[in-house]
Amino acid sequence: MRIVVGIKWVPNTQAVRIDPETGTLIRKGVPSIVNPHDLPAIEAALRLRDTVGGEVIAFAMAPPPAVKGLELALGMGVDRAILITDRVFAGADTWATSYVLGNAIVKIEREYGRVDLAVFGQETIDSSTAHIPGQVASWLNWPYAYYVRDIQVSGDSKIRIVRELEEYVEEYEVELPAVLGIAMRALKPRPVSLYNKLRAKLDKNVIITWSNSDLKLDPRCVGLKGSPTIVAKTIDMPEVPRKKEVYKPRDPRDGAKWIISKIVEDEKLRELLVKKLWGE
Amino acid sequence: MNIPSKFDTIVVGAGPAGCASAYLLAKAGFKVLVLERGRGVGSKELWGGKAYAQPLRDVWPELDKEAPIHRWVSKERFSLVWGERALTIEYKLGRKVAFTTYLTELVNWMARKAENAGALIVDEVRVEEIVVKDGKVLGVKSGDDIVYADAVIDAEGVNRLLLEKLGLVDKLSPDHVALGVKEVLSLDPKLIEERFMLNRNEGLAWFVAGDITLGLPGGGFIYTMRDSISIGLVLPIGPAARAAEKGLLKEHVSSLVEAFRLHPYFRSFWREADVIEYGGRMTIEAGLKLMPRKLYMNGLLVVGDAAGFLVNTGYTIRGVDTAVISGKLAAEALIDAFNNGGPTEENLKSYEEKVKKSYIYSELKNHSGIGDVMSDPFFFQKIPQVAVKAASKLFEADYEEPKLIRSFLNAAKEENISLLKTIYKLGRVAGKL
Amino acid sequence: MSSQTSRLKTMKLEELLQRSVWDVDEERHIEILKQEGLRVNALILLCPMGCYSIAGDKLIMSYEGCVECGTCRVLSRSDQIRWEHPKSGRGIQYRYM
């Protein structure tokens, strides 16, 4: 089975601060990381490979420093990594990005053979659109399932997936090839291993770089030019003043009830919740 | 997978000591692997802010031209503070002895030098064990993976998890280490130069003693960087922990650092500054006591902080230059060993001999009594208090100004310190400082 | 994200922590194993990042803000606190130190 996993190299939003004078984001000194929601996707791909064999290819459309993120994926055990980098790709919205990623998958198929599955983190911490996996599926005309927590191979060219939603669990059988969005925190990502990291550093062929001269996409369809999204206006959300309240509960249940009384506004719902939890 | 089955040397830790070793070994043509637990090199580094250049030039003569040097220290200041009052002396240096920079940047440069010389640096890997069989070090282990080498250089730093596992060192005692807590304050270089009266590319190092530590042993530091100022406190952990348990220390250490930043005397230097980073690290207080029972064994050498090679003189802490030099001595000993039958215990003995002949060891010995001085309230409390008081008598007299000696004697008397005791105490520590 | 300014105002520890950067692992690398005999006040006041705090009658350790300095390690025995470095390069990411 050949699985590709998309990776986004994002600013560590924990480190992003707002300039108190200008109200704009301070990006200086903010290190980038692999989008944390991509890690369960990498883990899902690796688990599948470890059970049924095949290879996992990580790919990212990003400027060159993103190699560091691909190294992390390789360190976790991904077989090879492709960095898709070109100035013409800069400034892309999700439409233009997914167009490049979809075409990259087509090229991966040409170079390495049939791709059975493309997995992505459900969303990214820097924009949270959750557009990419669905849009890639559209470009490829592949089926798409999202909020996926578990994948099992269920026969020739078929997988069984579990989607966990707030109220219920769904199981689907999906024809391959397919695109999956892996739910946040669905799986615990494995750590980087010494051998994998060594291989990533020593094997010169393990990280491949493609530019648009490899993908040969129409420059009008990629990057800023290919992005129909227009940011009309951004509004700073006023910071919600935080109130501190100290409550000394008699016991844990009393404390829990007090918290419920603070966070659940609707009285009926509150009573229902308390009744369901403690039968009172 | 085409992983080389064996390296000549594996260095654990890409800090100053590890990078110096790796650089010199790679330059001599040996196959070196450096394993670093952080992401990239430098992400786990924190120091005061000042490095002595000459020992670093011994390894990298191109240092002055190439290294990410923020400012050459042209002024050293020393202050005794008590309450709002402060007594400061300043020394203007005559040559380029030390420079300020971020250690995160400096080790990055050192690692690049090692890489360009041919060393392989692999980050994001936590070494969990030094693999030993029949008294010989075979390599290192991380997770289930073992990589083999003829020799391992342990440059793991002050937290010596690997050496403890090997039984080469005991667990650290709170009385042998100190806690450094630091803030980095961003400030326009022009303002830095104006406020501290510095020329461009010139910097200032400032050591502060007195009640900024709230009666705890220790002191404060201030270093000017290119466009920021590093400030912080160093507090020996043993006494601080006892004070916390006795209820004498009531505040969190961060509020001590904040009070230092906002101290009426100091804050005027960085009024506009914004805190851009906050952190802490543990540092060595009593270097000699931390030296492993042996600095070497069959296939292993210990360098840098892991070996206790940090000199605390009471007014300055030297750890990076000593780390680099120990890394250099280890590389030299190892190269000799490789050329004479291999890194056996017998062949690596020369490392310990080299260390004992070097300035690292003589400095550690010279300043080994500093722990006693630092933990004596007479020095970190009474001296600043009396000095500031005497100065206040001299400079805050409305009508009659006492004679210099009288002001000191009166201040000492008010603080219940006899001149004889002072002379005796100073005489005793004169040799230690 | 925070927008508070620090200039000449005392910053609370929580604000100071926002000035530094972590890539927090899901897996904790430091863990209290045994409450008995812990040097509670020393741990609470000296851990520079304030990772130790009291919850009810217990000392708890929040590893997310840890800078891997080792202070809590030297203040305890290995059967009281399990202490390791984070894996995969995670944990504190110093930039200006």
Side-chain angles (χ1 to χ4, degrees), chain B residues 298-317:
Chain B
N298 197 345
L300 180 80
L301 292 169
V302 186
V303 297
D305 269 5
F309 294 154
L310 181 137
V311 181
N312 186 344
T313 65
Y315 45 88
T316 184
I317 291 177

Side-chain angles (χ1 to χ4, degrees), chain A residues 31 57 104 142 176 207 233 258:
Chain A
I57 302 174
W142 291 2
L176 297 181
I207 301 179
K233 194 178 173 189
W258 183 79

Side-chain angles (χ1 to χ4, degrees), chain B residues 37-39 43-47 102-104 124 126 159 161 164 171-172 174 177 179 181-184 237 240-242 244-245 249-254 258 261-262 267 271-282, chain C residues 4-11 13 16-17 19-21 23 29 39-42 44-50 67-71 73-78 83-97:
Chain B
R37 70 181 181 87
R39 177 163 303 153
S43 63
K44 306 292 181 185
E45 300 280 1
L46 183 153
W47 71 334
Y102 299 140
L103 190 55
T104 40
E124 296 178 331
R126 179 181 88 178
N159 285 305
L161 309 184
E164 277 182 32
K171 201 172 160 181
L172 291 169
V177 283
L179 170 64
V181 190
K182 179 175 165 182
E183 287 180 1
V184 182
I237 292 178
R242 288 189 286 276
E245 284 169 331
L249 174 70
K250 294 185 188 74
E251 288 174 60
H252 187 257
V253 283
S254 63
E258 274 295 278
R261 178 172 71 88
L262 299 171
R267 70 178 175 216
R271 270 198 303 275
E272 301 81 356
D274 194 19
V275 178
I276 52 169
E277 199 160 34
Y278 170 77
R281 74 156 284 162
M282 205 161 64
Chain C
Q4 297 97 324
T5 172
S6 60
R7 300 171 177 95
L8 298 191
K9 265 202 327 230
T10 303
M11 289 168 77
L13 181 59
L16 287 171
L17 294 184
R19 304 301 158 102
S20 300
V21 187
D23 182 10
H29 62 283
R39 303 181 70 174
V40 173
N41 283 334
I44 292 173
L45 297 181
L46 296 184
C47 166
M49 313 317 274
V67 288
E68 305 139 38
C69 72
T71 302
R73 185 167 185 267
V74 304
L75 286 173
S76 62
R77 294 190 314 265
S78 55
W83 201 99
E84 280 165 357
H85 289 302
K87 290 178 190 165
S88 308
R90 296 217 165 77
I92 186 69
Q93 312 286 327
Y94 283 138
R95 301 155 297 160
Y96 308 116
M97 291 296 184

